[in-house]
Amino acid sequence: MIPNGTEYLSADPSGIAQAADLLRQGLLVAFPTETVYGLGGDARNGEAVASIYAAKGRPSFNPLIAHVASAEAARRFVQWSGQAEKLADAFWPGPLSLVLPLRDGHGVSSLVTAGLDTLAVRVPAHPMARALLEAVDGPVAAPSANPSGRISPTTAEHVREGLDGRIAAILDDGPCGVGLESTIVGLAGEPALLRPGGVVLEDIEAVLGTELHHHKSGDLLTAPGQLQSHYAPDASVRLNAQSRQGDEVLLGFGPVECDENLSAEGNLIEAAANLFAALHKLDGSGRPIAVTPIPENGLGAAINDRLRRAAAPRDS
Ligand code: AMP
Ligand code: MG
């Protein structure tokens, strides 16, 4: 809960400056983009990103799109390429997200990428979004500003209905967009259409001069069986462990003796922010991972969902 309630900021220079300030403090601000209202949090601040999930009540962690003010800003976080340059020239600012390998020293929270070594970046076209991103001068993670499972918000009133009291502020600039999401193109390997959206496939292929790999069946990322695109540790994972067995390393939650603690205080936001980094670190030990019980309430549901997937038997 936000102590002083959700603030309503008008879409003028003073509202934008206040919104940028709140984001820099690690608080959440909903803002208009040309697709839908986004729920923004500082992508470098794991606890800010965790609170996006908490505010939306999302039951699982998916990678989020990092919004930036310009292609130049994007290049601070990802390894740029000729193909990225062509698509950015043609479609940015606009409803196109590019997935590219992270670059060294990127500083982006692993909760934004869900532990992957790639990042989705986008330069939105909406003037308020651009002004805000310029003022923040950093990457802003922003899924749609609605509670999980509810319809995407295209007005500040929709955002208020869903998230009032759960976020610091709403930057209100009237109705935006048509609720169509950004097209997502993967450029970390062979160019691939990861999600259809506001920029059409044929136009992207024309600019690249090559066909995109894609699945005719629709959303590749949310389709069942596509979970291999998400980070999973190499090591086996055992949940609800009370203590180590054999040569296991122990991932803890709360006041327990362990190798890595998600949150010694038992704070679920802190635990979510630490989750992927802790898994990577323990995975690096080459030993099996045991995890002490984590409550199922609030963000615990999403943390447990991710851990259950990590613990599930592998196909290969
Ligand atoms: P949205 O809900 O509009 O914020 O869109 C997020 C979508 O982008 C999800 O479907 C993600 O799976 C996808 N996405 C974000 N980052 C990546 C990434 N690094 N690799 C693949 N897909 C990504
Ligand atoms: Mg959404």
Side-chain angles (χ1 to χ4, degrees):
M1 275 292 165
I2 300 301
N4 304 312
T6 299
E7 253 186 278
Y8 290 80
L9 304 173
S10 51
D12 55 28
S14 114
I16 287 165
Q18 285 180 66
D21 244 27
L22 293 168
L23 285 169
R24 278 191 292 260
Q25 288 169 47
L27 299 173
L28 304 186
V29 178
F31 63 96
T33 79
E34 72 275 29
T35 59
V36 298
Y37 270 76
L39 179 54
D42 183 342
R44 294 163 298 196
N45 179 333
E47 298 199 9
V49 180
S51 28
I52 293 176
Y53 282 92
K56 286 178 66 80
R58 265 206 190 176
S60 63
F61 298 120
N62 307 313
L64 301 176
I65 296 167
H67 294 70
V68 290
S70 63
E72 215 163 66
R75 297 169 75 142
R76 308 208 310 251
F77 308 102
V78 291
Q79 297 173 36
W80 204 239
S81 68
Q83 290 174 326
E85 183 74 16
K86 281 187 190 168
L87 293 181
D89 272 353
F91 302 112
W92 280 359
L96 177 70
S97 299
L98 301 178
V99 174
L100 291 156
L102 281 163
R103 61 180 279 182
D104 286 348
H106 57 79
V108 172
S109 157
S110 59
L111 199 54
V112 172
T113 62
L116 299 173
D117 51 12
T118 55
L119 177 68
V121 285
R122 167 163 115 84
V123 178
H126 194 287
M128 287 314 125
R130 298 193 73 192
L132 177 61
L133 292 168
E134 264 159 34
V136 173
D137 192 28
V140 172
S144 55
N146 53 304
S148 185
R150 301 256 297 271
I151 205 149
S152 285
T154 54
T155 66
E157 179 59 20
H158 294 159
V159 179
R160 193 192 62 73
E161 283 165 13
L163 298 175
D164 191 42
R166 307 175 133 228
I167 63 180
I170 301 174
L171 189 61
D172 183 354
D173 196 29
C176 73
V178 288
L180 197 62
E181 298 170 302
S182 65
T183 302
I184 305 179
V185 172
L187 292 177
E190 292 282 289
L193 180 68
L194 302 181
R195 180 179 76 188
V199 174
V200 303
L201 174 67
E202 291 77 10
D203 293 346
I204 296 169
E205 291 182 333
V207 167
L208 285 181
T210 174
E211 282 190 11
L212 292 185
H213 293 252
H214 64 286
H215 284 206
K216 296 270 186 304
S217 56
D219 191 343
L220 184 67
L221 290 160
T222 54
Q226 294 302 324
L227 295 178
Q228 67 271 23
S229 67
H230 288 239
Y231 169 75
D234 291 329
S236 71
V237 176
R238 186 170 66 88
L239 303 182
N240 292 314
Q242 300 300 337
S243 61
R244 296 176 188 81
Q245 286 175 5
D247 64 348
E248 284 174 343
V249 282
L250 189 62
L251 178 60
F253 176 83
V256 292
E257 189 280 311
C258 57
D259 298 284
E260 213 39 58
N261 203 320
L262 291 173
S263 169
E265 290 170 18
N267 174 331
L268 287 166
I269 297 234
E270 184 184 16
N274 290 333
L275 178 64
F276 288 100
L279 280 175
H280 268 295
K281 192 163 172 199
L282 293 181
D283 200 20
S285 71
R287 288 155 59 185
I289 302 169
V291 189
T292 68
I294 295 167
E296 211 25 64
N297 62 297
L299 273 183
I303 296 172
N304 283 319
D305 169 77
R306 172 55 56 184
L307 289 169
R308 274 192 295 270
R309 291 194 212 186
R314 311 288 154 74
D315 294 341
S316 53

